[in-house]
Amino acid sequence: MGGRLDRTTTNCCKGIAAMIIMLHHISFRVSNLPVYVKPIWYIAFPIVGFFFFMSGYGLTCGLLQKKNYLQGFLPKRLLNIIAPYFIVAITWIGLEIIWGGRHL
C-alpha cells in the first residue's frame, strides 16, 4: 500500500476508540466508579477526533486508489449504520421500561 496503514489497522484503531467512547458515555450513568475508570472522562474528547481522523484517512486512501470510490458510498453503508442504531435504541428503550426510569 506504499507506506499507508492498511484497513485492518485503521479498523482496529477505530474499534478501540469506539469502545473508549462508549465507556465514556456509560461512565456518566454509573455512580461510584473505580479510580482507574475516571481518566476516560478526560481522554474521550480527543479520542472522538482520533476516530474521525482514522475514518477520514480510510476514505482518502480509498479515494486515491479508486477514483469512483465514493460513487454509491452512502447506499452501500447505510444499513451498517442504521441497523445497529435501531438495535441499540430499542434495547435502551426496553431497559428503560423494565427498570422504570432507574439507571444503573
Side-chain angles (χ1 to χ4, degrees), residues 3 6 8-9 15 25-26 31-32 36-38 44 49 51 68 73 84 86 89 91 93:
D6 62 348
T8 303
T9 304
H25 286 279
I26 290 169
S31 59
N32 300 326
Y36 57 84
V37 177
K38 297 230 182 210
F51 177 87
N68 62 351
F73 179 80
F86 279 113
T91 303
I93 291 169

Side-chain angles (χ1 to χ4, degrees), residues 20-47:
I20 292 172
I21 293 165
M22 288 188 314
L23 286 173
H24 173 75
H25 286 279
I26 290 169
S27 70
F28 285 120
R29 295 288 202 175
V30 178
S31 59
N32 300 326
L33 285 174
V35 173
Y36 57 84
V37 177
K38 297 230 182 210
I40 290 174
W41 288 357
Y42 305 108
I43 66 167
F45 297 110
I47 294 293

Side-chain angles (χ1 to χ4, degrees), residues 49-71:
F50 176 73
F51 177 87
F52 284 122
F53 175 80
M54 294 306 286
S55 296
Y57 177 82
L59 285 173
T60 303
C61 289
L63 186 59
L64 291 174
Q65 288 178 347
K66 293 192 300 187
K67 294 299 177 196
N68 62 351
Y69 179 73
L70 293 178
Q71 187 176 16

